[in-house]
Structure formats: C-alpha cells, structure tokens
Amino acid sequence: MPATGRLRQPVALIRLLGGLLAIALTLLLADYARATTGGIAADVAEAAGLVPRPLAGLAGGLTTAAVLLLPVGLAVRRLFGPDRRRALQQVSDGLLAAVLAYGATLGVDLWADSLAPHSLLTALTQPLPGNVLGRTEPVYGYLAPVLAFMTASGSRERRLPWTVLALSGLAGLACGFATPTALLLGLLIGWTGAHGTLYAVGSPDPCPRPGEILRALRESGLRPVEAQPTGPDRYRVRQTDGRPDLDVQLLDRQAVTAAAVQRAWRRLRLRTAPDPRALRSPRTGLEHEALVTYAALAAGVRTRDIAATAGLGQDTALIAYERLDGRTLDQLADEEITDELLVDAWGQLALLQRREIAHRALVPSSLLVDGSGAVHLVDFADGDIAATELVLRCDVAQLLTTLALRTGAARSVRTATAVLGPDPIDAVLPLLQPMALTHTTRRALKRHGKPAEPAPAHPEPSPAGAGSRPSAGNRAKTVTATLTATSATTSTAPAAGPGHPTAGSGSDGAQAEHAPAPGGLLEEIRAEVLRARPQVVGRPVRLERLRPRTLLAVVGGVVAGWLLIPQLFAAEDNPVSALADADPWWLLLALAAAATSHVTAAMGFVGFVPERLDFRNAVLAQVAGSFVKLVSPGGVGGVALNTRLLQKAGIPTAQALSSVGVGTMIGLVLHLLQLGAFVYLLDLQPGGSELDALPAVVGGLAGAAALLAVVSAIPVARRWLAARLRPLTTEVLPRLLDLLRSPTRLAVGVTGQLLVSICLISCLYCCARAIGREPSFASVAVVFLVGNAAGSAAPTPGGAGAVDGALITLLQQTASMEKGGALAAVALYRLLTLILPVLPGWAAMAWLQRRRAL
C-alpha cells in the first residue's frame, strides 16, 4: 500500500472511546462529588491568591503567546522534515482536529450554561477574579485545540509542547480563570477530538516504503538491492554477492494494537492466555519474537535464522529472516504427507517441549517443509519461553488437530505416540476442545464435516522426502518402520464410511480406516487415544476464566443499577425513608405477592407446552428470568430463557419456539381483556365516570380495527402484513390446536397467565398501602396494566426508567396520588420485583446450568 494511503487504526477508536468515557466520568464526578471538587477548587484558589497579581498576569500573557505559537512551530518543523507529503497530510489532520476540538469545547460550554443541572455548572466554574461580575467558563478551552493539533499531526516532540501546556494550565489556575475540573475537561476534549478525527478521516499509512526498508537493512550490515511485497506487511528482499534472500516482516502500531486487543480479551477470558503484558510497542513485539526464535534455535529446533532487526521510527519495526525455500503444510499434496514427515514434525515439537518453549500457533502455515522434506517451525510471534504445563499441553493438542485435519485422527495419534510416548498424549485428552485451539483451527474443524475424497491407499513417497534428512533421518526411519509394523497388526479395525480421510499409514496403507466418531474430529482423536489406553480418564479442563455471558451480565447489572439508584434519592419522600416507615404487614403481603408471581408464571408457561415438564425447573427458570432481565430489554430475556429450557428438555427448537409464542400471544389477549375489565370496574366506582376511561379504550380498539382494515385494502401493505403473520399461522396456530386437545393443561396456562398479572397488581397495591396511601385496587390494576405494557417496550434492561416513569405518572393521574407517594410506592414495588430477585435469580440460573437444564 502506498504511503499516501489512509487507514483507520484500531488504536484511534480505542482511545476515542476511552476519552469519551473519561469525559463522562469527569462530568459525573463533578456533579455527584461536588464537595470534593469544590474543596479542591477552593484549595487551588487559596494557593493562587498567594501569587502576586502582576506576576500571575505576566505568566498568563507569556504562556498564552507560547500556546498560540506552539502549533505554528510544530507545523513548520513537520513540513520541513524528510517526508513532506506525509507531513502535509498530518498537519491538515491536526488543523481539522483543532477546529473540531474548539467547537466541542464551545458546545460543552453552551450545554453547561443552558441545559445541564445548575449543580454541575457550579462545580465547573467559579467567580471571576478581581470583583468582576460573572463566572469562569465551564471548560478551559484554550488548551484543547493545541493538544488536538499536537496529537493529530503526529508530532514527535513531547517535552517542549507538554511543558508549554502545563505552564499555561498553571497560569490559568493562578490567574483564577479556570478550575481544576475545567482544565481537565479541556485537555480530555482536545485529546479525544484528535483521536476521533484520526479515526474518522483515517491516518496516513505508516507502512514504510521499500526504500526505507532497504536503507534500514543496509544500516544493519546487509546488502539488499530490491524489496518486493509478498503479503500484508511482508517483503522478499534480494541481496547482492550471492547472499541468501530475506523474508522481512514489519510490525507496526496498527498490527500491535489489534493483537493487543485480542491478547487482552484472551487473558481476561482464558487460563491459557499469553503471559506478556497486553499492550506493547512494535519494538517490544519485535524483541519478544526474536527472543523466542533464538530460544528455539538454541533448543535445536529447525527454524529460520534471524538476519537483522531494525526500527523504522516509533511506530514500525522490522525483523528479517534468511529466506528458506519450501512449502507450508497446507500447500502439500496428500500423498506428500508421509508418516516420516509427521514424525519429523512431532520431533521438532518435542525439542520445544523439552525446553518449555510454547509456540501457541501450530497451524499449517507455521509448519514449513523444505526441499529435502525436513519440517521447520516458523512464526514464533505468539510464543513463550518458560511456558506452563497447561500451555505446553495445548501445543500438543493443537498439533494433533492440525495434522489430523490433513491425515486423519489415527495417523496423527499414532505418530505422536511414537515420538512423545503415550503419557503426554493421554494428558492432552482434557484439552481436546475448541477453546484450546486457535481461531484458524476452529474454522477448519467446522468445515471438516463436509465429505471429502478418500486418500490413496498406497501413496508414493514424494521426491522431496526421499533424500537424507538432517538431524532426524535415522530416527524418523526407525519410528516409521515401527509404525508400519503397528499398522499391520491393527488391520482388522472397522472400515470408515465413504468420504472419511484414510487413517492408514502413509508407507504401506495396511491399516484400515476407523469409523468416524459422531462428535467430529476431536472426538475421533479422543477415540483413537482411548482405543489404545481405555483406562485413561479425559475429563475436559475448564479453560475459561470468564464467559462472555457473565461479562454481559455484569455490564447489564451495572447499567441497570446506574439507572435505578438515582431514583432511590430523587425526592424527599424517597424509598429509603418510605421503607423505614412502611407498614410491615402490608410489606410482607407485597413480598408474598411478588414471590407467588414466579409460581403463577411457571403455571402460565407449562400450561402451553403439551410435553411433560419438570415443574420445579419451570419455577426456577422464572426466578432466573429476574436475573436475565437485567441484561436484556423488555421480555426478550425471558423468552430466550424459556425456549432454552424447552430445548434442553428434549423438545425440538421449532416446537419450543411455538409453545413460547402461544403463551405470549394468549398472554397479550388476556392482558387486554384484564385491562378492559378493570377499566369497567374503575368507571363503576364513585367518581370514576369522570375518568371516562372505557370510551377511550373502546375508541383505541376501534382505531386499531380501522387501521387493520386500511392495511388490508392496500396490496403492498397486505403482503407485508401477511409476511409478518406467516410464522403465526404456520407455527403458533398448529401448536395451539394441539393444546386444545388437552383442556386441563390449557386451563392451567390461562389461569397462570391471569394470576401473574393479579399477583403483580397486588404487589403494587400493597406497596402503596404500606406507605400509607389508599388507592383503589381497580385504579392500581389499570395503572399497572397500562404502565407496564408501555414501559416494557423500552430497550433498557428490565424496562428500567421507562416502566418506573410510566407507573409514577399514571399513579398520579389515575390513582390521585401525589408525586412523592407515587415515587415511593413504585420504588418499593421495583425493589421487590426487580432488585431483590437478582441474587436468587442468579442462584437459580447457576443451579439449572449445573443440572444441564439450561
């Protein structure tokens, strides 16, 4: 790619998101920790008062001039550098970032002055010095454009610019024109704006030109004359005087950052994650790869010799290997992969294992076969020295799978056992799981199930493998002869099905194929190991530290808590004081109603499933739904949880989805019928006719019917509606007809659906009575049925915020409750139905997962 191209680097996005998070946290801390920020500002102002005003004014003027001249000096230095074309791009990026950062500071100032809470404005500003009317700006915006320009223009100068920025910030504090929080916001906005600009427009490609690569290699004592690209960040360099060609690999900031993100995620999630720190510079990555390569060479492993290492600025480094002519394992034909070649590959791994060196990426591209048929291990970028036993065993499992993908499980296990012995192979059984393998191998395993042409029974040895092999030939021939004899003694094994790779020896093909295991290639490898030693116990090792769904649950819980906690202290009549003064008997009734709702929800669930279910598991699944709703909007989590429970109970996916769909559909109908009934009862109460609620409901239903008639009259809309209703007619309705044959079960489901709403309405009613309010049951029922339906459509976990706001508003309008009482009643209700069930829900989910019911 030419140097003038642009690319979006992942590091820019990571820093942009980190900057936005830092800005948000600064604003939140300034608002919620007003005492702390105010105390710091007061201490700084008191210290600034000790500075003589003339001296402070002089310092402010000088630093302001320096700040204005700093971008000009940086731009001139960049434009008169060696690469003016790239410098011009970077200077233009810096100017754009400076303009955007200054605009962002103005936007934050306007927002703080007009829309933000007054407490936040007070925390960010202070009175102007010198008895001048007015206050300082919420953001000290003089520094943001300069920092944005300095960062986006790629300036290598650090000491002078940062010194000028620090002096300018101190002068602003000394003159009383900024608070510490405003100064911090200005710097964060400038830094974030720079990386946002770089990610939006792209950074100039830092990949060096071939001339720069040749110059760096010459400075390292080599004699290159031509560099040709052979792949992403890879070059083939030709030398003079008959010297061997070079394979050059570049390590730039983009590749290192992408690898760092993957490494950090693996380290968080897996026990076999790499030990080095997640974030490292290209030079550090180069040093690590060179160190592992030298360690492998010292162990006697065949690999490419390192010719030179060099740095190309701060963002790029290169490592040059002496070129080795050969082909990787995935480039060899099936008949070329002999048992002798497999034995040689295992011999190279044995040398690594003896010195406790881990390769971590034994994929086909890492096994290079030269012209004589010798196997070389290459690409040690992810390797480790002094690796743990678990990581070393993962290397064995990885190579077992890589070779089995080409030659079959029998040959891979047989050659590994002949070289390493049976005990190391037995120890690998617990690691034969996709999580222990590389991403490339996992994708290959998914494609492996497709039928393939059988390998020839008597492959001829390749010419490359006929010659003498350095340092492993005699041993390889001896092991191959042993394998041939072993093949002859096991020729009575059952034959494999058509399309399965041949498992016989590459030397004479005397061994018959084994039937493929039903669990895929990994199960075939496990079966081959257990066939020789059936007494071995291979219980899988748990390789995950943290599952993605656990991380999602934690994030969802934090978000939900962040949305709910402010509601607990939003009014004088807050839920904490209401709970302290609540009537304990009404509170116990509310708690009992909330707990009973899980049992009735289980009734409403199992009643629409024709198959027999364990009612205890169904109840626990509804309790677990209280935990799942914190990480999913509306009722999505409950639907997924119930569907999964049915699948684990042996019900096909289509029928499970249909049962859940039937329950949802009937629940919607019953919800509307209950709403109509309670609206009618509310109108019959004294004074209830003033609400005029029944005509409103009837009018809404009539409007919906009219809208349906209009849609049905338009062909395009009719086809769209038919496509949306097709799953209902093809899956849900047939399932409903099956349920009609069991009226008892259907009655249980309908009763359960009705009792769920009654229990939750009773819980809300008891919460209102517990704090001393006396609304009618019918009014609370209308509030719940309308507010819960409206708020559940919000995409927040558990409907947090939306459900609460709807219930509070409707309690004030329909039940004639004041704002404080409505807030306290709803908060107590949400405490009993959303917050308290979280821990029991987590325990129920863990129990169901341990029992393999989920």
Side-chain angles (χ1 to χ4, degrees), residues 19-84:
L20 293 175
L21 179 61
I23 292 172
L25 290 177
T26 302
L27 292 173
L28 289 173
L29 289 175
D31 191 17
Y32 285 98
R34 291 187 294 273
T36 302
T37 56
I40 294 175
D43 293 340
V44 171
E46 183 179 357
L50 302 177
V51 180
R53 301 303 302 172
L55 180 60
L58 178 62
L62 292 177
T63 55
T64 300
V67 165
L68 295 177
L69 292 175
L70 180 61
V72 179
L74 294 177
V76 171
R77 182 180 179 86
R78 293 287 296 156
L79 292 175
F80 284 92
D83 193 350
R84 297 183 180 179

Side-chain angles (χ1 to χ4, degrees), residues 806-832:
L807 292 178
I808 292 170
T809 303
L810 290 171
L811 281 176
Q812 297 178 64
Q813 297 177 353
T814 305
S816 301
M817 292 178 61
E818 76 284 0
K819 183 178 180 180
L823 174 61
V826 171
L828 282 176
Y829 165 76
R830 297 289 273 176
L831 177 67
L832 296 177

Side-chain angles (χ1 to χ4, degrees), residues 561-691:
W562 186 271
L563 294 174
L564 290 175
I565 287 174
Q567 301 179 25
L568 299 178
F569 305 96
E572 295 181 358
D573 194 3
N574 60 72
V576 176
S577 60
L579 181 60
D581 299 333
D583 188 328
W585 295 109
W586 283 110
L587 198 58
L588 286 176
L589 289 176
L591 182 61
T596 307
S597 67
H598 298 295
V599 180
T600 57
M603 293 173 54
F605 168 59
V606 301
F608 299 110
V609 181
E611 294 80 7
R612 186 177 182 82
L613 294 177
D614 188 339
F615 188 74
R616 179 184 58 179
N617 288 348
V619 174
L620 291 176
Q622 309 315 307
V623 177
S626 302
F627 174 72
V628 174
K629 72 171 60 175
L630 287 180
V631 294
S632 60
V636 175
V639 170
L641 193 69
N642 290 334
T643 304
R644 180 62 176 170
L645 182 69
L646 295 180
Q647 290 174 332
K648 296 296 287 185
I651 300 175
T653 303
Q655 298 179 12
L657 290 172
S658 300
S659 295
V660 176
V662 168
T664 303
M665 183 185 68
I666 293 182
L668 176 61
V669 174
L670 294 176
H671 189 94
L672 294 176
L673 292 177
Q674 284 179 298
L675 178 59
F678 281 112
V679 167
Y680 178 74
L681 293 176
L682 186 61
D683 283 341
L684 293 180
Q685 293 179 359
S689 58
E690 297 177 358
L691 296 174

Side-chain angles (χ1 to χ4, degrees), residues 263 267 271-278 280 288 360 383-388 391 545:
R263 194 179 298 112
R267 188 167 188 175
R271 295 172 54 199
T272 57
D275 295 329
R277 58 182 180 178
R280 56 191 184 192
H288 177 79
R360 288 186 177 274
D384 278 338
I385 59 175
T388 62
V391 175
R545 284 196 185 106

